[in-house]
Amino acid sequence: MTSLLDLAPVVPVVVLDDVADAVPLARALVAGGLPAIEVTLRTPVALDAIRAIAEGVPDAVVGAGTVITPEQVKESVAAGARFLVSPGWTDVLLEAMRGSGVPFLPGVSTTSEVVALLERGVREMKFFPAQAAGGTAYLKSLAGPLPQARFCPTGGIGVANAPEYLELPNVGCVGGTWMIPADAVAAGDWGRIEGLAREAAGLRPRG
């Protein structure tokens, strides 16, 4: 892939408690136009879910989120993750992600963290927690002095404010969960999720 940030305007952030939901959920998201799917490592079945999607939904670009240790980097890639996302970063974690052979988005929330990553040759990052860390106003402030940095803001973003983020020149995509309502997953209402994904895929205001 040329850039994870350019695959779709929205990256669904998926938390799965039942691995049986992984494939039908991924199929619904892909059918709705959201091929990049971040499965967070917050539940015991996360790695199995990544493996199931990688094997069962070839059109999906499945990745691992909430990656915070080098061991999780190895496990995620072994399970079939095609990208990695972390809520923050250290040099140890960054080295592991860089050596993984797949694209990665280290998390930042301050100007100094952005500068430190640029110094290390990383230009694409996750901005987290987006709303709590300053939202669109903060990202606008970064665009002037640090135009070479591009972001995928995540945290507190929904259908109402996603377009505001996507209008910014230094935002490639946003991460969110609003197209995956818990009640729809519980009911197996994949048609509803596909419809919400299609709406999310149409949010990009440019290009």
Side-chain angles (χ1 to χ4, degrees):
M1 67 183 79
T2 55
S3 169
L4 175 63
L5 301 186
D6 296 327
L7 286 177
V10 180
V11 176
V13 179
V14 177
V15 181
L16 284 167
D17 295 304
D18 188 344
V19 72
D21 294 328
V23 167
L25 175 60
R27 285 176 177 159
L29 293 170
V30 171
L34 301 180
I37 302 170
E38 175 188 337
V39 177
T40 68
L41 302 184
R42 300 181 192 177
T43 66
V45 305
L47 289 171
D48 288 334
I50 290 170
R51 187 173 294 107
I53 293 170
E55 295 174 354
V57 192
D59 291 334
V61 180
V62 64
T66 321
V67 176
I68 57 173
T69 68
E71 184 63 27
Q72 288 178 329
V73 170
K74 294 178 184 177
E75 293 173 342
S76 298
V77 174
R82 294 172 59 185
F83 65 90
L84 305 168
V85 183
S86 68
W89 68 278
T90 65
D91 279 318
V92 171
L93 180 59
L94 186 64
E95 182 178 352
M97 291 193 293
R98 198 192 295 274
S100 69
V102 302
F104 57 92
L105 294 175
V108 297
S109 60
T110 69
T111 306
S112 293
E113 290 172 324
V114 176
V115 172
L117 282 177
L118 291 173
E119 188 179 80
R120 290 159 175 77
V122 178
R123 296 180 59 183
E124 298 187 343
M125 313 165 194
K126 172 180 179 174
F127 181 57
F128 176 84
Q131 283 291 96
T136 56
Y138 195 96
L139 288 170
K140 285 178 185 177
S141 298
L142 291 180
L146 303 171
Q148 63 271 53
R150 296 182 74 213
F151 301 95
C152 175
T154 305
I157 298 177
V159 67
N161 62 355
E164 300 171 20
Y165 282 91
L166 292 169
E167 288 172 357
L168 301 178
N170 56 350
V171 169
C173 63
V174 300
T177 61
W178 74 87
M179 75 299 299
I180 318 167
D183 59 340
V185 175
D189 192 349
W190 312 121
R192 179 182 169 200
I193 290 173
E194 180 181 338
L196 291 169
R198 186 168 290 108
E199 291 175 6
L203 288 177
R204 188 180 297 282
R206 65 183 191 279

